[in-house]
Each structure stands twice: as C-alpha cells, then as structure tokens.
Amino acid sequence: MTTQTTDPRPLYREALAWTAGLIDQVREDQLAASTPCADFDVRTLLGHLVATVERARVIGEGGDPSTIPLVVTDFSDGDYAAAYRSAIERMWPAW
C-alpha cells in the first residue's frame, strides 16, 4: 500500500493571504466587538491570529510553541495587519 502525502504549505499560504486580506478590512471601531468565541473580542482574536503564525514559526524552527503566548499583544491597535504580515514573513523561512 502506498501512502501519498500532500504538501500543506500551498494551502496554508492561501489561507494566510486570505486572512491577511480580512485583517486589512478591520476598522479600529470594530476592535472591541464580540466574536463567536466568548473569550475573544476582535482585538484579542487578531492577536491570537498573529500568535498562531508565530507558533508555526517556532515549530518549524524546532522550538517549543508554548513559548509563544496564545494572544500576542505587543503592537498597537492600528498595526494588526502589519504584525500579521511580519509574522508570516518570519515564519516561511522555517518551512
């Protein structure tokens, strides 16, 4: 029996680009709005999305993803899209 593995990186790249496009559309007045996850408002969800990419980078580098918080908060409200794209740029060399 032969097992064929599909490289998930192209799909992940597409998902990251799609998500970045959505983040570009978030207005500052929406940051405190609720999300389907009761623990996250939009601001927290955006910080979590940045954190997931940072965790992917750490995993690719052979590190412990738990060293990255579940929500990254070290940027200002207007910088979510830039922070997300920066995390993506740092993540790809590891993969």
Side-chain angles (χ1 to χ4, degrees):
M1 183 171 150
T2 303
T3 303
Q4 185 174 4
T5 305
T6 302
D7 183 352
R9 290 174 296 181
L11 293 174
Y12 188 42
R13 186 180 301 276
E14 286 180 37
L16 292 169
W18 181 77
T19 303
L22 292 177
I23 293 171
D24 286 337
Q25 303 303 313
V26 175
R27 299 181 318 267
E28 196 164 334
D29 65 309
Q30 296 173 308
L31 294 175
S34 62
T35 69
C37 179
D39 294 336
F40 288 5
D41 60 8
V42 172
R43 177 181 287 110
T44 307
L45 177 60
L46 294 174
H48 176 65
L49 290 171
V50 173
T52 63
V53 178
E54 291 288 358
R55 285 175 168 235
R57 175 187 53 79
V58 170
I59 291 168
E61 293 171 346
D64 179 359
S66 69
T67 61
I68 304 296
L70 291 176
V71 177
V72 174
T73 58
D74 60 347
F75 45 84
S76 64
D77 283 349
D79 292 338
Y80 289 99
Y84 190 72
R85 282 188 169 80
S86 177
I88 292 169
E89 289 174 16
R90 289 190 308 276
M91 184 267 311
W92 278 123
W95 289 100

